[in-house]
Amino acid sequence: RYRLISQWPINKANAADTQFERRGLKEIQARPNRPYSSSNPVAGSPEQVFEAVYADIAVTAACVDCHNAHPSSPKKDFKVGDVMGGLVISFPLAKK
């Protein structure tokens, strides 16, 4: 599974859903070149998943201009090079 999340989502469905995702966004904001990762339990199950959050960095003026101008954007001052959110990747770990 993978998805984009942000502290400032234009689409509320792209907000962080879990404590892991909220913590991951804070960590990649502080250290964008270092993914935040962990093995976590699946709710209500003995299964474990590996999860990682990678920084989604604004690489072009088009990204910045679109987010800054969007009427639903809660943040209007992005600059090229800013962390705009994160890419969450998760997959199940093998059963022991």
Side-chain angles (χ1 to χ4, degrees), residues 39-61:
S39 296
N40 298 306
V42 174
S45 169
E47 307 283 323
Q48 293 274 319
V49 293
F50 174 81
E51 297 181 287
V53 181
Y54 293 83
D56 178 24
I57 298 172
V59 294
T60 69

Side-chain angles (χ1 to χ4, degrees), residues 54-86:
Y54 293 83
D56 178 24
I57 298 172
V59 294
T60 69
C63 301
V64 168
D65 294 345
C66 184
H67 277 260
N68 288 342
H70 196 286
S72 297
S73 181
K75 183 172 168 69
K76 307 278 189 188
D77 61 349
F78 285 112
K79 297 181 291 304
V80 171
D82 284 352
V83 175
M84 298 180 81

Side-chain angles (χ1 to χ4, degrees), residues 6-18:
S6 178
Q7 300 97 312
W8 315 280
I10 290 173
N11 178 343
K12 299 302 180 203
N14 294 335
D17 284 338
T18 65

